[in-house]
Amino acid sequence: MAMVCLSDFEAYAKKYLPKIAWDFFAAGADDCSTRDENILAYKRIHFRPRMLRDVSVMDIRTKLLGTEISFPVGIAPTGFHQLAWPDGEKSTARAAKAMNICYIASTYSTCTLEEISAAAPSSLRWFQLYIHRNRAVSRQLVQQAEALGFQGLVLTADLPYTGKRRDDVRNGFRLPPHMKLKNLEGAFEVCKMSLLDPSVTWNDIYWLRSLTHLPIIIKGILTNEDAELAVRHGVQGIIVSNHGGRQLDGAPATIDALVEVVEAVQGKVEVYLDGGIRKGSDVLKALALGAKCVFIGRPALWGLAYKGEEGLQEVLRILQDEFRLSMALAG
């Protein structure tokens, strides 16, 4: 079967992944309203295309905090890549390097930070952090990421507790015995999400800044109030995100929340977005509304499930081609 668009990869992953893995990746919280709205919201946004603009030459490169990438799409932090492909996050890192884009590695990776770095040396990698009750564990991860050459620290702000994902509850989801959360091994009993620290506040940004020279990007912002607080607390970037609809069901679609966040920060920090990107035209809509770059979550996992690193590169190339075409046709 020819893989023509991202939904082809979705159909493949749904057919061939074990049900428990597919359900975990696909899950949204509660009724999945926010998960689905992330996608539907793009369909309500229309272009005002301009004609006769000479689109014979186009430059789709951009920069993330000063580092050039080949086009404004990166890979969002998602956990447990070995559920999709045996090489897990190593394949993800290699695909991102091959396409010259940014990959945000998750705290909940099934490969170590060392393995991820070694798989794609001198690539643009950021590290996503959950702050745990055991602060020493978080401190160690941050310092390890910096030592290994990760270039940004992404703090996820929207997970004081894990949202209720019904299929995971029904399936009694847990990692298969041969898989481990490699970065947390030995730190404590793995996969007890209750070890996340629900007492984290804005003041913890100062704590993080005391640990590292890395730029701090905060992920999970959906309102102008929180965007202003992020700027005030000295972050360098914001990812407008609702965790793929996996946390608070009834939160806005990220593309709908983007405009007020962009207006609130007034160009003081870079604003990115994840959630619901399924076509190159979605990328263009996000950029037109003020995002500097978008990050894909589930589509990256579908690419891995299809053919590992090669499948993920294919997903990214399709998005890149569709984005370039949308730019040209919109003038």
Side-chain angles (χ1 to χ4, degrees):
M1 165 180 167
M3 305 305 258
V4 175
C5 59
L6 268 56
S7 53
D8 291 341
F9 293 85
E10 180 179 19
Y12 181 95
K14 184 170 187 177
K15 183 173 179 182
Y16 291 105
L17 280 176
K19 182 180 186 301
I20 195 166
W22 168 260
D23 285 351
F24 172 75
F25 291 144
D30 299 330
D31 292 328
C32 300
S33 305
T34 296
R35 179 197 69 181
D36 298 343
E37 190 61 21
N38 272 350
I39 295 168
L40 293 170
Y42 281 96
K43 300 183 191 304
R44 294 193 290 269
I45 297 170
H46 301 284
F47 295 110
R48 296 182 68 248
R50 300 292 306 280
M51 302 303 145
L52 304 175
R53 304 277 287 183
D54 184 1
V55 291
S56 56
V57 178
M58 283 180 291
D59 185 357
I60 60 171
R61 294 171 300 171
T62 191
K63 287 184 176 175
L64 292 191
L65 300 179
T67 302
E68 186 174 284
I69 55 174
S70 64
F71 74 121
V73 171
I75 298 174
T78 50
F80 312 159
H81 288 197
Q82 280 184 353
L83 286 175
W85 187 255
D87 249 7
E89 289 81 4
K90 291 183 281 188
S91 290
T92 312
R94 286 192 287 261
K97 182 179 181 181
M99 294 298 293
N100 188 26
I101 60 165
C102 178
Y103 164 41
I104 308 176
S106 169
T107 292
Y108 292 132
S109 296
T110 42
C111 298
T112 64
L113 293 182
E114 289 96 335
E115 288 171 327
I116 292 167
S117 316
S122 70
S123 60
L124 178 57
R125 298 181 311 276
W126 292 350
F127 171 62
Q128 174 272 328
L129 178 74
Y130 290 118
I131 296 181
H132 289 87
R133 291 173 194 263
N134 181 346
R135 291 295 175 98
V137 172
S138 297
R139 181 172 65 239
Q140 189 183 335
L141 281 172
V142 169
Q143 292 169 342
Q144 186 187 13
E146 184 168 9
L148 287 166
F150 284 78
Q151 291 155 264
L153 180 65
V154 177
L155 174 66
T156 294
D158 60 5
L159 206 133
Y161 301 97
T162 307
K164 184 179 179 184
R165 302 160 198 170
R166 294 173 187 171
D167 281 345
D168 288 348
V169 177
R170 289 187 186 108
N171 294 334
F173 175 81
R174 55 186 303 115
L175 275 183
H178 65 283
M179 281 179 213
K180 299 276 185 286
L181 292 185
K182 290 288 191 63
N183 297 304
L184 302 175
E185 271 193 297
F188 37 61
E189 176 65 27
V190 161
C191 238
K192 284 188 179 165
M193 298 295 185
S194 60
L195 290 160
L196 295 167
D197 188 347
S199 73
V200 173
T201 70
W202 288 102
N203 285 333
D204 289 298
I205 303 279
Y206 299 128
W207 173 68
L208 283 179
R209 285 171 65 192
S210 76
L211 301 181
T212 180
H213 298 295
L214 293 177
I216 295 172
I217 300 99
I218 189 160
K219 173 179 179 285
I221 301 300
L222 292 167
T223 62
N224 58 20
E225 294 91 340
D226 281 343
E228 286 167 7
L229 281 165
V231 172
R232 210 176 306 156
H233 286 80
V235 305
Q236 279 74 45
I238 288 172
I239 303 179
V240 176
S241 175
N242 54 33
H243 219 98
R246 294 163 77 81
Q247 283 300 101
L248 177 65
D249 203 27
T254 50
I255 193 71
D256 289 339
L258 176 64
V259 175
E260 69 174 84
V261 171
V262 169
E263 282 175 2
V265 304
Q266 300 177 328
K268 292 178 187 136
V269 302
E270 293 187 359
V271 177
Y272 321 116
L273 166 144
D274 67 23
I277 298 284
R278 297 294 182 269
K279 303 186 296 290
S281 57
D282 296 340
V283 181
L284 184 56
K285 287 173 183 179
L287 265 59
L289 292 172
K292 177 86 171 165
C293 177
V294 304
F295 290 88
I296 58 168
R298 292 183 183 94
L301 295 162
W302 305 335
L304 284 181
Y306 176 58
K307 273 188 191 171
E309 173 190 344
E310 194 185 321
L312 177 46
Q313 276 191 59
E314 214 170 312
V315 163
L316 291 165
R317 267 194 296 269
I318 287 171
L319 267 183
Q320 189 177 48
D321 291 344
E322 288 179 352
F323 173 62
R324 187 185 279 112
L325 181 61
S326 299
M327 267 181 70
L329 296 179

